[in-house]
Amino acid sequence: MGSRSSHAAVIPNVDSIRRETGFSQASLVRLHHRFRALDRNKKGYLSRMDLQQIGALAVNPLGDRIIESFFPNGSQRVDFPGFVRVLAHFRPVEDEDTDQDPKKPEPLNSRRNKLHYAFQLYDLDRDGKISRHEMLQVLRLMVGVQVTEEQLENIADRTVQEADEDGDGAVSFLEFTKSLEKMDVEQKMSIRILK
Amino acid sequence: GPGLGRCWPAWPGGLLRTGGVEVEPGGAHGGSQGFQVVTFEWAHVQDPYVIALWILVASLAKIGFHLSHRVTSVVPESALLIVLGLVLGGIVWAADHIASFTLTPSVFFFYLLPPIVLDAGYFMPNRLFFGNLGTILLYAVVGTVWNAATTGLSLYGVFLSGLMGDLQIGLLDFLLFGSLIAAVDPVAVLAVFEEVHVNEVLFIIVFGESLLNDAVTVVLYNVFESFVSLGGDNVTGADWVLSPVSFFVVSLGGTLHVRIIEPMLSLSAILAITFCGICCQKYVKANISEQSATTVRYTMKMLASGAETIIFMFLGISAVNPFIWTWNTAFVLLTLVFISVYRAIGVVLQTWLLNRYRMVQLEPIDQVVLSYGGLRGAVAFALVVLLDGEKVKEKNLFVSTTIVVVFFTVIFQGLTIKPLVQWLKVKRSEHREPRLNEKLHGRAFDHILSAIEDISGQIGHNYLRDKWSHFDRKFLSRVLMRRSAQKSRDRILNVFHELNLKDAISYVAEGERRGSLAFIRSPSTDNMVNVDFAPRSSTVEASVSYLLRENVSAVCLDMQSLEQRRRSIRDTEDMVTHHTLQQYLYKPRQEYKHLYSRHELTPTEDEKQDREIFHRTMRKRLESFKSAKLGLNQNKKAAKMYKRERAQKRRNSSIPNGKLPTEIPVQNFTIKEKDLELSDTEEPPNYDEMSGGIEFLAGVTKDTASDSPAGIDNPVFSPDEALDRSLLARVPPWLSPGETVVPSQRARTQIPLSPGTFRRLTPFRLSSKSVDSFLQADGPEERPPAATPESTHM
């Protein structure tokens, strides 16, 4: 235990991070270890390059967008709290989380926040809506090259139409949530080892 | 020998007489009693002849089966082979009234089983296997013990109740029988699951279980057999304790002389071979050339396939042996019932336990497949034949029952498992038609999850894997791999796991030059591959346009029929859309790693997908890098400048670099952090505009009229080629004059680069002050580039 607490002590503001993200001490220590491993030049923060070094992301269709999600608001670096904040979305949802004190902010790994994370991956211009154009871009990423442009546009149109309720030709976050209400998001967007 | 030609018409039964030296009269064409010109030398050629005959029959059988594809998709090949074996056995029996050629355990364990198991181990998807090892082990060990114990005890219970009539069996005999009938058989499982496309996790669990439970089976079998040979009364408590110990010993490859044990079974052959295959696959592939590797693969497949065929045929033939046939209705029926029921119970219990710890849950449909897919096969048969008839009085009963069980599971369960699975799958997805959004976003979530797993490093699992790969690299590979293979492996690993931007740039450049990336440059150009993926789509479009035309003409149209028509078209379009998505959405990492297959080798779907995504990602990173460096203006200009034809033209010209001045302020290229901070939010990649990704690199100067791709023709960029230190001077390599030769021949003969075959590209120095890993990665072993491309090599 002694060694573990000394590890935890290395992490600055570990308590506030723990409160904010809900991670256990052990998880935070491991994540910090990972953070340091990714930070090749020991800068103390991660840049895009560091994340791009992860080979598996290059063959993930949404890899770059996810990397981007670590750098909100145009920043070029992500420090450890920022790193952990993104990962916190993927904590599995436990039952104690659900009956929360209504005054406290929603935990990062709530269903709503998980969906919001995904939503932000689509909504690049941050206008709170996924336009048809944005949907098309995502589709392009996720589909093989044999699909023609017209087919893609077709699919994008239908996808937006299916979810769009107020007819504005774009999918707002509410509509997005509603279209996925039957999906078990909590399970689909959780990594068990991140507790 | 001289008798060979004459032997053919002889009855198969005669040929198969194992000990026989005499010649069947059925085909003798003996000459005169005097000088015999041609003589029968049957004993002389018997063995090779028989073997050749078997192989011939097996091959013919296989070809015959596959003539009708419909048949093989319904009936598993193993079932067909067993039936064929039965037929052959029938022939033999009719001819001779004796089927004297049976599947002997030694033949089975020494010759037939090893190729199959080795093949399975060699092609085993390692990551999947070790990732699910806990589950597999649980099922293999606990599951098998459970099955054996419950089956044996229940049978004993029934026996005690008198239902089975009068048999000379004791408790230990039942336990022995239970242990050998409990084991799920790898051969049968493989044969059947090939037809049934279950998800890979399920497959690996069943298959892994069938491989690993061999150790358990062997131990149990040996233990009970030795107990039986001792006589039931002499078993002491100490013996019971020793048994679990022997399990570990056996599985780790030792011999345990508890009592009398068949030497060839004490070492768990299957386990040994499996792990041999698993471990050596990497080194074999690394150490031999591509062609040899292919040869090895095909040879293994062939041997395994052949062995499997022969096994099943033998099973069929061996069944036709009236001497051993003993039938006890209760025993047989109850055995069947018990093994199915207890397996199902065992699976359910274990799954419930496992699901608490597993990341990917095992759903009810998986459990059904797991229980139903527990097939028994030749291993059980071989074990039962091995029984000592003296000690086990009812050996014949056991043998008959085993045969019945094996036949039942392979034929009946094998036949029905596929429709069952399909029905269940349909049932599961029936009550909810997944909507387009759910499909798309669901898939997106899978990708997101993969990525986050990779980023967060899969803590726990990765630790072990890292440790292992570290150990492997330091010690094992040194010993087991060729030097050059090690080096290239290191390079590949380094590159793949540490994709540097400059590698990406070079790679994409190379790809662009060769035209392989053309299709993603701009989807709207006619470079785009336009695959007619379903005839329906064209009819849909046709009818839509027809409809529009009709609308326009507006001549006596029945509005209702029009509306109906429109709706039906909409449905077709819906279907088409769903179908497109289903077919063309990229698969997430967990799904697309292909399964083991006995008869096919490496489908390349996942490689293709990897390559496509890799191209795209690299391009996009390039573009964002570009925009980060030069800002948007340069971007647009570069995009406009870039034309493929021009690039082509320039490629062929020999002095691409002449125009480029050398006094470029090198500082522009540093990839230092502070430069990157200059740019603001990355703009979303804009496909239509950013087609000139590579253009930027050469257009570094204010003068963007330069000709980039040709510059990159520089052999400096050839894979496997090293850069001369002198060229690493301040000037970026592609700008150095003189190196103008186009390595097109080499490029043409080279296979397209993909993440898997990625070689270390030369580190073109973007900056002398660059502080990154470019420098460190290149050791002193790199040679200076050749002046001419002809001396380059692959």
Side-chain angles (χ1 to χ4, degrees):
Chain A
M1 275 313 268
S3 65
R4 191 180 293 178
S5 55
S6 74
H7 279 185
V10 166
I11 309 171
N13 310 322
V14 64
D15 286 319
S16 74
I17 298 179
R18 196 141 47 103
R19 263 197 309 272
E20 189 190 351
T21 60
F23 277 124
S24 67
Q25 184 103 328
S27 293
L28 280 180
V29 169
R30 285 196 302 239
L31 287 173
H32 193 240
H33 192 75
R34 174 67 173 169
F35 181 83
R36 284 208 313 265
L38 287 174
D39 177 13
R40 266 147 215 285
N41 302 327
K42 305 286 170 259
K43 313 180 286 291
Y45 56 85
L46 294 179
S47 67
R48 281 194 183 79
M49 286 275 295
D50 290 320
L51 288 175
Q52 284 174 351
Q53 303 282 28
I54 304 174
L57 288 180
V59 288
N60 187 313
L62 298 176
D64 279 353
R65 289 207 180 194
I66 292 170
I67 293 179
E68 201 46 42
S69 72
F70 281 86
F71 303 89
N73 313 323
S75 58
Q76 295 303 318
R77 343 172 147 195
V78 55
D79 55 5
F80 182 64
F83 180 68
V84 170
R85 210 170 286 131
V86 172
L87 295 182
H89 286 101
F90 293 89
R91 268 186 61 228
V93 179
E94 273 131 55
D95 292 319
E96 323 97 57
D97 289 346
T98 49
D99 39 24
Q100 278 275 357
D101 179 7
K103 283 218 211 51
K104 281 166 58 175
E106 210 175 327
L108 280 173
N109 66 337
S110 71
R111 182 194 170 90
R112 189 175 172 280
N113 277 329
K114 287 184 200 283
L115 283 172
H116 193 250
Y117 178 78
F119 187 80
Q120 301 227 297
L121 286 182
Y122 294 128
D123 180 22
L124 292 172
D125 56 6
R126 301 272 182 270
D127 62 355
K129 291 200 221 275
I130 306 177
S131 68
R132 182 188 158 280
H133 181 70
E134 286 166 339
M135 190 71 86
L136 186 58
Q137 284 179 310
V138 173
L139 262 175
R140 273 210 201 99
L141 284 179
M142 290 190 26
V143 158
V145 298
Q146 306 96 315
V147 186
T148 66
E149 186 64 16
E150 303 99 89
Q151 284 164 356
L152 275 180
E153 292 191 7
N154 218 332
I155 299 176
D157 280 332
R158 297 171 153 282
T159 314
V160 171
Q161 258 168 31
E162 203 185 61
D164 188 16
E165 287 177 1
D166 55 10
D168 58 357
V171 181
S172 70
F173 181 56
L174 227 54
E175 292 163 347
F176 182 71
T177 315
K178 193 125 183 291
S179 76
L180 295 179
E181 63 191 351
K182 294 225 188 71
M183 181 184 290
D184 186 5
V185 173
E186 288 88 333
Q187 204 219 16
K188 255 191 172 315
M189 299 243 304
S190 294
I191 303 183
R192 194 167 281 261
I193 46 175
L194 295 178
K195 281 241 182 212
Chain B
L4 193 57
R6 298 296 200 102
C7 274
W8 174 236
W11 282 113
L15 295 176
L16 300 179
R17 196 178 292 265
T18 48
V21 175
E22 69 270 31
V23 167
E24 277 301 291
H29 293 252
S32 61
Q33 284 303 101
F35 178 68
Q36 289 187 311
V37 179
V38 178
T39 52
F40 257 135
E41 293 284 339
W42 176 228
H44 197 60
V45 301
Q46 175 183 350
D47 286 331
Y49 190 89
V50 168
I51 293 174
L53 187 66
W54 275 116
I55 295 179
L56 180 67
V57 174
S59 326
L60 286 177
K62 262 195 167 325
I63 297 175
F65 293 152
H66 285 276
L67 280 179
S68 164
H69 196 62
R70 223 160 23 123
V71 172
T72 47
S73 63
V74 169
V75 183
E77 212 174 282
S78 45
L80 285 175
L81 286 170
I82 286 190
V83 169
L84 175 69
L86 278 174
V87 167
L88 280 180
I91 295 178
V92 169
W93 183 67
D96 225 25
H97 302 274
I98 301 175
S100 44
F101 205 47
T102 59
L103 180 61
T104 56
S106 52
V107 167
F108 178 69
F109 280 113
F110 283 157
Y111 301 113
L112 293 177
L113 193 57
I116 296 179
V117 179
L118 185 61
D119 173 70
Y122 190 74
F123 289 97
M124 176 81 78
N126 267 0
R127 181 177 169 166
L128 202 58
F129 181 71
F130 286 109
N132 285 295
L133 195 57
T135 311
I136 293 175
L137 276 178
L138 184 73
Y139 281 120
V141 176
V142 173
T144 311
V145 171
W146 161 267
N147 281 338
T150 52
T151 309
L153 289 174
S154 316
L155 282 175
Y156 182 59
V158 173
F159 170 66
L160 284 181
S161 74
L163 259 180
M164 291 189 194
D166 201 16
L167 298 170
Q168 299 182 29
I169 320 183
L171 168 66
L172 284 173
D173 293 321
F174 277 116
L175 285 175
L176 180 58
F177 181 69
S179 68
L180 64 87
I181 203 80
V184 175
D185 183 81
V187 181
V189 162
L190 265 182
V192 163
F193 269 62
E194 184 128 13
E195 312 293 331
V196 184
H197 296 292
V198 296
N199 74 62
E200 56 177 11
V201 172
L202 201 51
F203 172 77
I204 203 73
I205 291 177
V206 180
F207 182 55
E209 179 202 351
S210 65
L211 282 178
L212 293 189
N213 68 14
D214 180 59
V216 182
T217 309
V218 164
V219 168
L220 285 177
Y221 179 83
N222 285 334
V223 163
F224 288 130
E225 205 208 3
S226 51
F227 286 173
V228 163
S229 48
L230 283 185
D233 309 317
N234 301 341
V235 178
T236 63
D239 295 326
W240 285 105
V241 168
L242 277 176
S243 322
V245 173
S246 73
F247 166 65
F248 287 108
V249 176
V250 164
S251 23
L252 294 176
T255 335
L256 190 66
H257 295 289
V258 173
R259 294 292 184 271
I260 319 131
I261 293 179
E262 285 277 30
M264 71 182 167
L265 284 186
S266 32
L267 179 64
S268 172
I270 297 184
L271 267 192
I273 298 177
T274 309
F275 281 105
C276 168
I278 290 177
C279 295
C280 79
Q281 60 170 252
K282 199 163 73 124
Y283 303 112
V284 168
K285 285 178 195 157
N287 280 341
I288 58 186
S289 73
E290 187 69 32
Q291 290 161 320
S292 301
T294 312
T295 310
V296 165
R297 287 206 302 271
Y298 276 103
T299 309
M300 276 211 215
K301 285 282 173 205
M302 192 189 76
L303 285 177
S305 185
E308 180 195 5
T309 311
I310 294 179
I311 288 181
F312 283 115
M313 276 208 310
F314 262 148
L315 268 179
I317 292 191
S318 311
V320 186
N321 185 346
F323 286 158
I324 59 165
W325 206 254
T326 318
W327 180 267
N328 181 319
T329 318
F331 190 74
V332 172
L333 282 180
L334 284 172
T335 308
L336 280 175
V337 166
F338 284 147
I339 57 173
S340 317
V341 166
Y342 284 125
R343 179 164 174 87
I345 296 178
V347 163
V348 167
L349 285 178
Q350 287 170 94
T351 312
W352 174 81
L353 180 64
L354 280 172
N355 270 345
R356 291 151 63 92
Y357 297 103
R358 278 181 60 91
M359 251 188 272
V360 175
Q361 306 280 286
L362 291 169
E363 303 170 20
I365 180 181
D366 297 333
Q367 295 173 42
V368 168
V369 174
L370 270 174
S371 357
Y372 204 66
L375 304 174
R376 274 68 172 177
V379 172
F381 181 75
L383 286 177
V384 84
V385 168
L386 261 182
L387 287 176
D388 187 346
E390 299 299 313
K391 305 285 173 43
V392 181
K393 297 290 191 296
E394 296 287 346
K395 174 179 170 179
N396 284 336
L397 175 62
F398 285 176
V399 172
S400 326
T401 313
T402 308
I403 291 180
V404 172
V405 167
V406 168
F407 277 30
F408 177 80
T409 56
V410 172
I411 299 180
F412 181 71
Q413 279 179 245
L415 263 174
T416 52
I417 192 169
K418 191 167 177 188
L420 179 70
V421 169
Q422 283 175 341
W423 177 72
L424 280 174
K425 275 196 186 151
V426 167
K427 224 168 100 69
R428 193 174 52 149
S429 57
E430 218 169 48
H431 47 262
R432 239 175 21 84
E433 179 60 40
R435 299 157 75 218
L436 218 48
N437 270 284
E438 286 172 358
K439 263 197 192 145
L440 181 64
H441 299 310
R443 189 55 64 84
F445 290 167
D446 291 333
H447 286 302
I448 296 175
L449 203 60
S450 280
I452 297 284
E453 274 178 6
D454 292 324
I455 292 180
S456 66
Q458 290 250 336
I459 312 156
H461 269 234
N462 237 13
Y463 178 74
L464 274 176
R465 228 180 292 154
D466 283 344
K467 275 274 176 276
W468 167 257
S469 72
H470 182 73
F471 168 73
D472 172 61
R473 186 169 320 183
K474 273 233 141 71
F475 303 110
L476 287 181
S477 297
R478 287 261 171 83
V479 173
L480 295 172
M481 265 209 232
R482 237 175 18 174
R483 285 282 283 164
S484 53
Q486 282 179 52
K487 265 192 232 152
S488 67
R489 188 267 322 266
D490 284 339
R491 275 192 253 148
I492 294 174
L493 271 182
N494 280 340
V495 167
F496 184 52
H497 289 299
E498 305 170 6
L499 284 163
N500 295 305
L501 200 51
K502 58 137 179 100
D503 287 335
I505 293 171
S506 330
Y507 169 65
V508 171
E510 181 70 15
E512 285 258 345
R513 237 181 15 84
R514 302 188 61 243
S516 62
L517 293 182
F519 57 81
I520 57 167
R521 199 179 331 116
S522 163
S524 55
T525 65
D526 39 355
N527 285 330
M528 187 75 179
V529 176
N530 212 326
V531 171
D532 182 25
F533 88 106
R536 266 175 303 170
S537 63
S538 50
T539 55
V540 164
E541 276 152 35
S543 40
V544 166
S545 57
Y546 175 70
L547 188 62
L548 289 175
R549 247 183 292 130
E550 269 195 338
N551 236 351
V552 167
S553 67
V555 167
C556 77
L557 286 171
D558 186 2
M559 286 317 284
Q560 203 174 45
S561 75
L562 193 60
E563 183 56 27
Q564 194 124 21
R565 176 80 160 279
R566 198 179 293 132
R567 210 181 311 134
S568 70
I569 288 174
R570 176 124 291 214
D571 286 343
T572 327
E573 282 178 1
D574 243 341
M575 212 169 34
V576 165
T577 314
H578 274 259
H579 182 78
T580 314
L581 262 194
Q582 194 67 34
Q583 192 169 355
Y584 290 111
L585 270 180
Y586 284 134
K587 301 201 179 40
R589 185 189 60 218
Q590 290 89 349
E591 263 189 44
Y592 68 65
K593 293 296 178 197
H594 56 269
L595 292 183
Y596 170 77
S597 157
R598 168 65 46 73
H599 304 291
E600 291 174 37
L601 283 174
T602 51
T604 49
E605 277 311 304
D606 51 338
E607 278 179 25
K608 200 156 65 107
Q609 171 177 324
D610 271 351
R611 209 181 345 190
E612 283 174 14
I613 306 181
F614 183 67
H615 286 192
R616 264 194 212 148
T617 312
M618 284 304 141
R619 278 210 65 242
K620 299 247 226 81
R621 289 189 187 174
L622 263 183
E623 285 154 12
S624 51
F625 180 64
K626 164 176 71 171
S627 66
K629 287 278 95 203
L630 292 188
L632 284 177
N633 289 339
Q634 207 70 323
N635 234 1
K636 291 200 167 72
K637 211 166 174 193
K640 264 188 259 161
M641 291 297 300
Y642 184 84
K643 282 203 172 51
R644 195 161 178 237
E645 304 79 56
R646 272 168 102 193
Q648 285 236 343
K649 229 176 4 167
R650 278 202 207 92
R651 205 175 305 145
N652 295 329
S653 82
S654 55
I655 310 179
N657 301 315
K659 291 193 256 171
L660 301 177
T662 50
E663 77 276 10
I664 296 138
V666 160
Q667 287 81 341
N668 279 348
F669 296 98
T670 60
I671 316 187
K672 281 207 272 196
E673 299 307 326
K674 68 171 168 57
D675 282 81
L676 282 180
E677 272 144 303
L678 291 176
S679 75
D680 326 80
T681 59
E682 203 176 318
E683 60 154 13
N686 195 336
Y687 261 82
D688 309 300
E689 269 191 43
M690 303 208 176
S691 50
I694 310 303
E695 182 66 11
F696 143 71
L697 293 175
V700 189
T701 76
K702 310 303 176 214
D703 165 26
T704 54
S706 49
D707 30 11
S708 49
I712 305 190
D713 287 352
N714 196 313
V716 151
F717 282 83
S718 59
D720 277 352
E721 196 73 351
L723 187 55
D724 190 1
R725 288 282 160 198
S726 59
L727 288 176
L728 291 180
R730 277 162 296 127
V731 175
W734 70 79
L735 296 178
S736 64
E739 299 286 337
T740 62
V741 191
V742 175
S744 46
Q745 291 116 329
R746 179 195 38 76
R748 261 185 251 124
T749 59
Q750 202 178 45
I751 52 177
L753 297 173
S754 73
T757 61
F758 205 51
R759 297 280 192 264
R760 183 64 152 170
L761 295 180
T762 55
F764 60 71
R765 298 291 317 283
L766 296 186
S767 149
S768 56
K769 295 189 271 182
S770 180
V771 203
D772 45 34
S773 51
F774 304 171
L775 203 40
Q776 281 96 9
D778 301 308
E781 82 261 8
E782 306 215 65
R783 314 171 314 280
T788 56
E790 279 76 15
S791 59
T792 68
H793 61 96
M794 289 227 344

